[in-house]
Amino acid sequence: MTWTMRRQVGEAEVFSLTDGTFRLDGGAMFGTVPRVLWEKVAPPDEDNRILMRINPLLIKLGGKTVLVETGMWDRGGEKFEQMYALERDETVFRGLRDAGVEPGDVDIVINTHLHFDHCGRNTGLTGEPTFPNARYVVQKQEWHDATHTHERSRASYIPDTFMPIHEAGLFDLVDGETELLPGLSVLPLPGHNLGQQGVVLRSGGETLVYTADLVPTTAHAPYPYVMGYDLYPVTCLEHRKKYLPQWFEENALICTPHDPKVAFARLHETKRGFELKADG
C-alpha cells in the first residue's frame, strides 16, 4: 500500500510523500518530558528509539510544482543506516511518480532547513542537483549556519547535500516571511535552529501549514514537548505559543515532517494547550 496521500486545498493539489522511516532516541526527541509520559504516544524500541517517518510534501499550484523537503541522505552507508534504523519502504521518487511528477518537472524546492534528514535528496549519487530545473529556497540565516557550524550543529549538516546546489547557482536565499507564489509563503520558525522555515499555503479560504521541526510529529503538539535536539528550546516554545493558536483559529490542515502514521492533521484545543489528531 502506497503512503502517498492526496488532498485538495483550495486551488492547490497537495500530496504527502515519504522517503522511508528512521529512529531517534525518544528521550532526546521529547527533551525534559519524562519517559512515562512520552512513551504513551511514541512507544520506544529496546534501544529507547522511537519510530519516525520522512514526510516531504508536494504542492501543485498555479501551474507550478513545489516540493517541500527532499528526503533523507542516502549515501551514509551501512553504519549510518544501522545507527538510524533507516528503512526505505518507499522513496520520495516513487511518491513523485505516483503524483505524475518527474524530478525535472519540479519548479521550486523548499528546504525548511539543511539538516540531512530534510534536504538529503537535494543532490544525487554523484553530487548533481536532483531537481535540475528547480530553484531551491532556504533562509539566509540557515545558509549562514550551515556553512558556519559548531560543535552542537556540525553533525546535522552534510555539505554534499547543499554545496553542489550553491555551486550550480540554484539557491534562492530569502530573508524572513516570503511569498513564493500567490498564496504560498515560507515563514521563519526558529527554535530547532535559527534559520528554520515552515510553509504556509492559503487558497480558496483554506489553510495548510507544514510545520518543519517546530512540531516534528503529531505527538509533539503539547507546548512542553520540545525536543532536546532544539538548539534554542525557549525560542521554539515561544513560536509554538505564537502560531499554534493562530493555526487553530484558521482550522489549518497541519503536516508534520516526521509523524510515522499521520499525513494530515488538525489542531484540537485542550485544557493545557493543543493536540493534533489525524484528519482523513
Side-chain angles (χ1 to χ4, degrees), residues 22 24 26 28-31 50-55 69 112-113 117-118 189 191-192 196 210-230 236 240 244 247 254-263 276:
F22 68 117
L24 288 178
M29 281 301 299
F30 288 95
I50 65 169
L51 182 66
M52 301 168 67
R53 187 169 283 279
I54 304 126
N55 300 329
E69 314 286 53
T112 65
H113 54 300
D117 57 323
H118 291 258
L189 296 175
H192 182 56
Q196 178 176 250
Y210 190 89
T211 64
D213 279 338
L214 182 77
V215 186
T217 76
T218 59
H220 287 82
Y223 287 143
Y225 284 40
V226 174
M227 292 189 289
Y229 292 114
D230 292 336
C236 180
R240 289 156 67 90
L244 292 187
W247 298 337
I254 303 295
C255 300
T256 67
H258 293 310
D259 198 277
K261 296 180 180 179
V262 178
L276 277 166

Side-chain angles (χ1 to χ4, degrees), residues 19-275:
D19 202 40
T21 63
F22 68 117
R23 289 181 178 269
L24 288 178
D25 183 81
M29 281 301 299
F30 288 95
T32 60
V33 178
R35 173 173 168 159
V36 69
L37 296 179
W38 62 253
E39 69 180 358
K40 296 176 182 178
V41 293
D45 65 11
E46 64 276 7
D47 295 319
N48 204 48
R49 301 175 302 180
I50 65 169
L51 182 66
M52 301 168 67
R53 187 169 283 279
I54 304 126
N55 300 329
L57 194 71
L58 180 70
I59 301 171
K60 296 181 178 181
L61 175 66
K64 298 294 185 180
T65 300
V66 182
L67 180 63
V68 183
E69 314 286 53
T70 60
M72 172 71 87
W73 190 49
D74 62 351
R75 283 164 280 165
E78 183 177 355
K79 182 178 180 180
F80 176 88
E81 293 182 4
Q82 289 179 350
M83 180 186 304
Y84 294 104
L86 182 60
E87 295 286 345
R88 281 208 161 90
D89 50 353
E90 291 190 40
T91 70
V92 66
F93 302 113
R94 174 176 168 177
L96 289 170
R97 289 194 298 271
D98 288 345
V101 173
E102 295 296 328
D105 299 331
V106 176
D107 298 295
I108 300 172
V109 169
I110 300 175
N111 290 145
T112 65
H113 54 300
L114 295 173
H115 289 177
F116 64 78
D117 57 323
H118 291 258
C119 75
R121 300 279 206 178
N122 275 7
T123 57
L125 293 177
T126 60
E128 75 284 359
T130 305
F131 307 97
N133 299 317
R135 303 299 300 179
Y136 288 66
V137 179
V138 70
Q139 289 285 325
K140 287 182 179 179
Q141 177 70 56
E142 179 63 0
W143 175 253
H144 175 273
D145 292 349
T147 54
H148 297 79
T149 58
H150 52 71
E151 289 77 6
R152 277 294 307 273
S153 68
R154 191 165 297 133
S156 298
Y157 293 108
I158 298 175
D160 284 350
T161 64
F162 53 83
M163 288 307 297
I165 306 303
H166 169 68
E167 292 162 1
L170 296 180
F171 266 131
D172 283 342
L173 303 183
V174 297
D175 191 8
E177 187 171 0
T178 304
E179 187 174 60
L180 305 179
L181 297 172
L184 181 68
S185 300
V186 290
L187 175 70
L189 296 175
H192 182 56
N193 54 12
L194 290 179
Q196 178 176 250
Q197 61 185 356
V199 180
V200 180
L201 168 66
R202 292 188 173 93
S203 179
E206 299 182 65
T207 301
L208 177 145
V209 176
Y210 190 89
T211 64
D213 279 338
L214 182 77
V215 186
T217 76
T218 59
H220 287 82
Y223 287 143
Y225 284 40
V226 174
M227 292 189 289
Y229 292 114
D230 292 336
L231 298 181
Y232 306 91
V234 175
T235 301
C236 180
L237 177 60
E238 290 170 347
H239 281 81
R240 289 156 67 90
K241 295 176 78 170
K242 176 180 180 179
Y243 286 115
L244 292 187
Q246 290 184 24
W247 298 337
F248 170 73
E249 290 298 325
E250 291 187 75
N251 193 33
L253 196 62
I254 303 295
C255 300
T256 67
H258 293 310
D259 198 277
K261 296 180 180 179
V262 178
F264 300 100
R266 303 272 184 190
L267 286 160
H268 294 261
E269 199 166 19
T270 71
K271 292 180 179 179
R272 290 178 286 184
F274 295 95
E275 62 182 4

